[in-house]
Amino acid sequence: PWSVACDLHPGYRSTRLAVELAERWDVPLIRVQHHHAHVAACMAEHGVTGEVLGIAWDGAGYGVDGSLWGGEFLLATYGKSERVAHLHPFRLPGGEQAAREPRRAELAVRWETFGAQDCLAAVKEGTEWRVQAQLVVAMLAKQIQSPATTSMGRLFDAVASMLGLCQVASFEGQAAMALEQEAMKATVSVRGKDEAYPIPLIAREDEPQRCVADWRPMIHLLTDDLSRGTERSRIAHRFHRSLADLIGQATERVGVRQVVLTGGCFQNVLLADLARERLESAGFVAFTHREVPSNDGGL
């Protein structure tokens, strides 16, 4: 029997079309969570069966709770998924505008890490952005037009902005690409010298079976490196290694041998390679996209 599938997001044009077609053809409508779809796409590409730990990192996707997901760890099969971990959430001042202005994501990450007083510390006095930034901070304080997210893509944006690599993006993924390119400049001798920044996995108080990946200790140490004048390429590479280490931590905690790396963030070759090395060295099997795009083109 035929069915029509669509994303969970009620505002997508494709969702509205799916609803219309299902009614017209009198067939079931199946709404699929965005990140589960990413995981299933990679599984299908490789013919993977059984249960996997799907690590789905991207800009944003509609979560089952109605919030913006994007840094997800899903225990999944083709038919179901369970969110076992996710990034510590932060707010996106201006919503979609924050995706176009990495400097807004930086302010949000600083707000979440250092609080209101130190949030503006890195913004120069007397600049046009300083005036706008004060308004953005007011939005964060009042939680006005600032939806919460667990987006890894926006965390990449924030770090790229902190390193001065991209403040305003002219295309999707520009900041993350700049951060990857900067990390690739790190010399071979430097790449293994520093420990990964810490991103502890902490059990949620309301749901102890689910963990939160707390990136705030990493931001503390990253800003310390910046203040000491550490080379940007070294910081950028250490950031990537920290994410690979987080993947290793989560995988060892869950204990499922098959691991799927998917979502737009894994277009980043450095991140994918570091994660695969970390997983395979610990005896896990890592699947990444080869023929199907890891971003939304693969859905």
Side-chain angles (χ1 to χ4, degrees):
W2 288 90
S3 299
V4 177
C6 67
D7 195 275
L8 273 184
H9 198 301
Y12 282 176
R13 183 178 300 176
S14 59
T15 300
R16 295 194 294 270
L17 176 61
V19 171
E20 178 187 321
L21 291 176
E23 291 175 352
R24 184 191 306 171
W25 296 336
D26 191 26
V27 297
L29 176 67
I30 302 172
R31 299 178 188 268
V32 184
Q33 198 281 318
H34 186 85
H35 299 95
H36 184 198
H38 272 303
V39 175
C42 190
M43 291 174 67
E45 178 183 343
H46 293 280
V48 176
T49 58
E51 196 171 51
V52 304
L53 175 62
I55 298 167
W57 290 354
D58 61 5
Y62 201 77
V64 295
D65 58 1
S67 68
L68 297 176
W69 292 8
E72 310 309 312
F73 298 80
L74 305 176
L75 194 59
T77 62
Y78 289 110
K80 63 180 181 179
S81 72
E82 177 189 355
R83 193 188 195 197
V84 293
H86 57 80
L87 286 191
H88 177 80
F90 57 101
R91 294 194 171 271
L92 290 179
E96 284 297 316
Q97 193 169 354
R100 296 187 291 271
E101 295 184 32
R103 60 191 182 182
R104 286 177 177 253
E106 177 187 352
L107 280 179
V109 163
R110 286 184 178 275
W111 170 277
E112 192 67 30
T113 304
F114 303 112
Q117 291 185 333
D118 295 327
C119 181
L120 289 166
V123 182
K124 291 182 180 179
E125 295 278 2
T127 60
E128 182 182 345
W129 171 233
R130 177 76 182 197
V131 176
Q132 293 182 51
Q134 289 171 327
L135 296 175
V136 170
V137 169
M139 291 171 67
L140 289 167
K142 297 176 182 178
Q143 298 186 8
I144 298 172
Q145 294 182 343
S146 300
T149 187
T150 57
S151 171
M152 180 59 80
R154 300 292 80 82
L155 186 61
F156 262 91
D157 286 355
V159 173
S161 178
M162 292 173 73
L163 269 59
L165 298 170
C166 182
Q167 306 296 336
V168 178
S170 57
F171 60 88
E172 178 75 19
Q174 181 180 355
M177 290 171 64
L179 190 57
E180 179 190 12
Q181 289 165 4
E182 188 65 29
M184 294 295 285
K185 295 177 185 176
T187 62
V188 174
S189 60
V190 161
R191 291 184 181 189
K193 187 173 182 180
D194 302 310
E195 291 184 1
Y197 292 120
I199 308 178
L201 277 170
I202 302 168
R204 288 176 49 154
E205 291 183 6
D206 57 337
E207 298 177 277
Q209 75 279 14
R210 184 178 299 165
C211 293
V212 175
D214 191 351
W215 42 262
R216 291 172 296 180
M218 173 182 69
I219 297 298
H220 271 283
L221 292 177
L222 191 151
T223 52
D224 287 346
D225 277 351
L226 278 171
S227 65
R228 285 196 296 267
T230 303
E231 298 94 331
R232 289 192 312 185
S233 61
R234 187 169 180 173
I235 295 172
H237 198 276
R238 192 177 178 189
F239 171 74
H240 282 76
R241 286 181 52 229
S242 304
L243 299 184
D245 188 65
L246 169 62
I247 287 171
Q249 281 187 72
T251 302
E252 287 163 5
R253 184 172 187 134
V254 174
V256 174
R257 186 166 179 266
Q258 299 183 123
V259 184
V260 166
L261 306 175
T262 186
C265 289
F266 287 102
Q267 292 178 110
N268 182 320
V269 175
L270 176 61
L271 174 62
D273 286 348
L274 288 172
R276 191 184 305 107
E277 289 169 11
R278 174 70 168 79
L279 291 169
E280 290 176 352
S281 67
F284 296 96
V285 180
F287 297 96
T288 55
H289 291 273
R290 299 296 185 196
E291 299 178 9
V292 175
S294 63
N295 63 7
D296 289 358
L299 303 184

